[in-house]
Amino acid sequence: MQKKLLIKNSQKKLQLLLALTTAILIVYLWQFPIFGQSQSNVIVDFAAPQTNTNSVSGILHGIDPKNPPDSKIEPLQPKLWRAGRVDTYDRVVKAGAEFQLIVSDLWGYGTNPKGWPYQNYPAWEDFVRQLARQNKGKKILWDIWNEPDWSNPFWAGTREQFFETYKRAYQVLRQELGPEAIIGGPSIAIYSKEYLTAFLNYCKANNLEVNFLSWHELNDNIILFVDDHLIEARRNFLQSPTYKSLKIKKIYVNEIIGEAGQYRPGDILGYFYYLERGQADGACRACWGSLGANKVSNCFNNTLAGMVTPDTFQPRAAWWAYKVYADGARSRVQSQSDTERVVALASKSTPSGKAQVLLGYFDRNYADSINVSITLRNLQQLGIAPNSKVNIKLEKIPDNQEKAVEKPVIVKEENVSIGSGTLRYFIPKVALHEAYILTIGK
């Protein structure tokens, strides 16, 4: 009898321990998104404007003086264009974008007969001087060198030799263009606090300015860290009294989106969301090789870095992601998701006169799809009266890779009754790498 009682008491203790452990796990997992989470909850507040937000629509290369046609560029409303040629300057300015010139592209890296700049500094200085004189009067952001931390193919020297290369180019540009010229860098291939610190310390010690700070975010597996990098750099460099003499005014992530994510609309929206959250001053879509065995560079085939098809210039899913993003960039309102890999970019007004919520789901380590519940608050800010009906249209931008996408796919359109100004909307099975457009109007 005593033995049975001991066993019974032990069972009760085990049950109590399991119950306590379960309770702790429930509390813990409720606070943090878990692997394979089946639902994401998004809240949008149309009464809360998102201030200090810059559009991060921008492109690297992707055009010549004539192609693709303006009709494919204008809807994207680019704000920054990074180029290795000057003959596209007029098109870029006409499109409303700042023109950032990659000086090293024009020099030619290791293909220049005069070698690398550190092998012939007088030739490098003469080259920069002639380039400055030829383009005096143009509003150019002078980006001295592309990815000097990437030995193949962009830099063959030491870090210190790049710093010297920057110094000599900076001094020539100041002599030729005066104090108003905007000069910056270092446009490194990955974010590195250590590298940026060394570069800025060198510039400070040599009385140089870095009017814009720049690096690249090209790892599609760490999109979540883009805002962390921006916040850290802004705090430690742009806002730090230590570097006040450098006159850093802006931070550009002047290449974004890796090779795997280049066509994926969900991943693209992920970059946009975290760039905005980190308050980037501008960003440019990187260009990569096309898919398949016979790779063709999307940098120089006039496809807007792969956003439209070659020759016929039909839009791809990536083009639509950029287009709908640009539609709402000026009227951003606050949105939040309890799943970091599901992002929501909400806007009070678009060119159609309606509100918009963009949803993107990314990260290859998660489930193939996820359910999304959206709570739309303060709909009266859209001119929608309480206890009335609102028109809701849900469209999908499919992950079609290089295939043309004539237009987003309409999933559902309906008139929905609202109560006091709040509406809950459910979207089942949002697919990994895809994007959705929710349009709200009277």
Side-chain angles (χ1 to χ4, degrees), residues 18 21 41 44 64 81 97 104 113 118 156 162 170 172 190 202-203 213 232 248 257 268 296 303 335 347-348 365 370:
L18 287 172
T21 303
N41 300 296
V44 174
D64 67 15
W81 210 304
S104 57
Y118 56 84
F162 162 65
Y170 172 86
V172 169
I190 60 172
Y202 175 90
C203 291
L213 192 63
E232 181 179 72
I248 306 171
I257 309 172
I268 292 168
V296 176
T303 61
S335 61
S347 305
K348 191 174 180 180
N365 295 316
I370 189 169

Side-chain angles (χ1 to χ4, degrees), residues 2 15 56 112 139 164 168 205 279 332 366-367 397 419-420:
Q2 188 175 3
Q15 289 172 353
V56 291
N112 191 308
K139 293 182 179 180
E164 177 80 5
R168 289 174 180 262
Q279 296 184 11
R332 187 77 67 235
Y366 265 54
I397 306 176
S420 60

Side-chain angles (χ1 to χ4, degrees), residues 356-373:
Q356 171 183 273
V357 180
L358 305 179
L359 292 172
Y361 175 37
F362 61 93
D363 196 319
R364 62 185 176 86
N365 295 316
Y366 265 54
D368 290 339
S369 66
I370 189 169
N371 299 325
V372 178
S373 175

Side-chain angles (χ1 to χ4, degrees), residues 54-58 189-190 215-230 253-280 282-286 288 321-322 325 332 340-345 359-363 433:
N54 298 302
S55 171
V56 291
S57 178
I190 60 172
W215 68 85
H216 302 164
E217 296 281 359
L218 301 171
N219 189 339
D220 299 323
N221 295 322
I222 58 170
I223 297 173
L224 299 176
F225 293 97
V226 169
D227 59 333
D228 295 329
H229 297 161
L230 283 158
V253 186
N254 53 8
E255 286 191 32
I256 62 167
I257 309 172
E259 186 171 16
Q262 62 176 315
Y263 302 117
R264 292 171 169 168
D267 298 47
I268 292 168
L269 293 186
Y271 276 100
F272 287 162
Y273 177 83
Y274 286 104
L275 285 163
E276 283 195 4
R277 189 167 167 175
Q279 296 184 11
C284 292
R285 171 184 170 83
W288 300 92
Y322 266 76
Y325 169 80
R332 187 77 67 235
E340 290 181 319
R341 291 157 181 83
V342 173
V343 296
L345 290 156
L359 292 172
Y361 175 37
F362 61 93
D363 196 319
H433 304 308

Side-chain angles (χ1 to χ4, degrees), residues 82 100-112 115-118 121 124 127-128 142-151 153-157 161-163 165-166 169 183-189 195 199 212 214-216 254-255:
R82 189 167 180 252
Q100 190 173 98
L101 181 63
I102 313 168
V103 177
S104 57
D105 272 19
L106 293 169
W107 174 263
Y109 306 102
T111 63
N112 191 308
W116 297 91
Y118 56 84
Y121 280 128
W124 168 244
F127 166 78
V128 175
W142 295 88
D143 185 12
I144 303 304
W145 204 272
N146 180 61
E147 298 186 350
D149 58 330
W150 202 255
S151 59
F154 296 116
W155 189 250
Q161 286 171 327
F162 162 65
F163 294 170
T165 296
Y166 179 90
I183 308 164
S187 296
I188 48 179
Y195 192 108
F199 173 68
F212 63 86
S214 57
W215 68 85
H216 302 164
N254 53 8
E255 286 191 32

Side-chain angles (χ1 to χ4, degrees), residues 171-336:
Q171 291 172 337
V172 169
L173 290 170
R174 275 284 175 260
Q175 292 168 7
E176 294 295 328
L177 303 177
E180 301 303 316
I182 301 173
I183 308 164
S187 296
I188 48 179
I190 60 172
Y191 176 78
S192 168
K193 179 183 175 183
E194 186 272 332
Y195 192 108
L196 294 173
T197 299
F199 173 68
L200 296 179
N201 285 343
Y202 175 90
C203 291
K204 181 181 177 182
N206 286 272
N207 298 314
L208 312 175
E209 294 177 9
V210 182
N211 305 132
F212 63 86
L213 192 63
S214 57
W215 68 85
H216 302 164
E217 296 281 359
L218 301 171
N219 189 339
D220 299 323
N221 295 322
I222 58 170
I223 297 173
L224 299 176
F225 293 97
V226 169
D227 59 333
D228 295 329
H229 297 161
L230 283 158
I231 291 167
E232 181 179 72
R234 191 172 297 278
R235 181 180 63 246
N236 291 331
F237 305 129
L238 191 146
Q239 296 173 344
S240 172
T242 302
Y243 299 109
K244 185 177 180 179
S245 64
L246 301 185
K247 299 181 180 179
I248 306 171
K249 300 298 182 185
K250 293 185 177 182
I251 297 178
Y252 294 124
V253 186
N254 53 8
E255 286 191 32
I256 62 167
I257 309 172
E259 186 171 16
Q262 62 176 315
Y263 302 117
R264 292 171 169 168
D267 298 47
I268 292 168
L269 293 186
Y271 276 100
F272 287 162
Y273 177 83
Y274 286 104
L275 285 163
E276 283 195 4
R277 189 167 167 175
Q279 296 184 11
D281 292 295
C284 292
R285 171 184 170 83
C287 49
W288 300 92
S290 59
L291 302 178
N294 300 317
K295 286 187 177 293
V296 176
S297 174
N298 283 326
C299 294
F300 310 113
N301 60 356
N302 303 322
T303 61
L304 300 176
M307 285 195 282
V308 297
T309 60
D311 303 321
T312 58
F313 309 124
Q314 295 173 280
R316 289 168 167 158
W319 186 91
W320 285 107
Y322 266 76
K323 193 268 183 189
V324 295
Y325 169 80
D327 284 346
R330 295 181 180 179
S331 62
R332 187 77 67 235
V333 295
Q334 291 181 10
S335 61
Q336 61 185 38

